[in-house]
Amino acid sequence: MGIFGRKNDTATAVATLPVDPALAALTGDYTIDPAHSSIGFTVRHAMVTNVRGSFAAYEGALRLDGSDPAASSASIDVTIASIDTGIADRDGHLRSGDFFDAETFPLMTFRSSEAEQLGGDLYRITGDLTIKDVTRPLSIDLEFNGAATDVYGNERVGFEGSAEILRSEWGLTWNAALETGGVMVSDKVKLTFDISAIKNAA
């Protein structure tokens, strides 16, 4: 069952696609549930191992349109100061002007502009990622995990996905050279998303 629209060669083909009743029933506005979601990242440290972290505070919204799936959209605001890698000193450095400068730029944001079906339950959502004062395009590959009504009567949808960025393209350029060659922190960062969203009351 698809959420976002599959690209077609002609407008006629789009117009004649039948609407999946189960998909149409998901149409509506959703709020991301932070208690059952996670937004994380992985970065190579000292050329030999990975450091993993996450953001504890964020809010976001989805608009799912089952009758016109390509019109679906997503937005997320992440509080930079909530970064957590498990080491307080490292988190403080990441919040500082060497990296995110969380005091001056408190939010990292994503606003979607396009969504497409890649096949089956695999999708790609494209939009603008803003970190500090830099906005650049980002595509996130997602898998739709399904929809369900939880024990409290909430209608939920779930997605998980990932994307890779070069942090330098968003002005995150701090580094330190290693005596053995290479650098302390890799430029490439993997972002991960595990999202559960609750449908808003009509």
Side-chain angles (χ1 to χ4, degrees):
M1 178 173 60
I3 291 294
F4 304 116
R6 177 181 288 129
K7 286 188 173 180
N8 293 275
D9 293 334
T10 67
T12 301
V14 174
T16 58
L17 285 176
V19 175
D20 183 338
L23 175 60
L26 299 180
T27 295
D29 295 312
Y30 292 75
T31 299
I32 292 175
D33 176 14
H36 297 93
S37 303
S38 65
I39 296 176
F41 60 89
T42 303
V43 62
R44 181 76 71 178
H45 176 261
M47 310 294 292
V48 298
T49 190
N50 289 321
V51 168
R52 293 176 173 81
S54 62
F55 296 92
Y58 50 88
E59 57 185 32
L62 308 177
R63 171 63 186 173
L64 303 183
D65 190 327
S67 298
D68 182 13
S72 299
S73 61
S75 65
I76 300 176
D77 295 337
V78 178
T79 301
I80 293 297
S82 72
I83 196 167
D84 181 8
T85 65
I87 303 294
D89 287 346
R90 181 167 58 205
D91 296 342
H93 191 199
L94 289 170
R95 296 183 188 108
S96 76
D98 282 346
F99 284 95
F100 287 104
D101 193 0
E103 185 173 347
T104 305
F105 306 101
L107 294 179
M108 173 173 64
T109 66
F110 177 77
R111 300 289 184 269
S112 71
S113 58
E114 181 183 356
E116 60 180 295
Q117 185 175 9
L118 302 179
D121 288 331
L122 301 179
Y123 306 88
R124 179 169 294 147
I125 188 164
T126 299
D128 291 326
L129 176 67
T130 300
I131 303 174
K132 298 175 77 169
D133 57 348
V134 180
T135 299
R136 294 182 58 84
L138 176 70
S139 292
I140 304 170
D141 289 342
L142 295 165
E143 181 176 3
F144 176 50
N145 288 337
T149 302
D150 66 22
V151 295
Y152 301 105
N154 298 311
E155 296 181 58
R156 291 180 177 268
V157 293
F159 297 89
E160 60 181 309
S162 63
E164 288 189 351
I165 67 170
L166 298 178
R167 61 187 180 89
S168 60
E169 294 184 344
W170 278 267
L172 303 174
T173 57
W174 183 92
N175 227 321
L178 301 175
E179 291 184 3
T180 54
V183 293
M184 181 69 73
V185 184
S186 69
D187 192 18
K188 184 170 68 174
V189 180
K190 182 178 180 180
L191 305 176
T192 56
F193 307 87
D194 198 344
I195 301 298
S196 178
I198 297 173
K199 193 173 188 179
N200 299 345

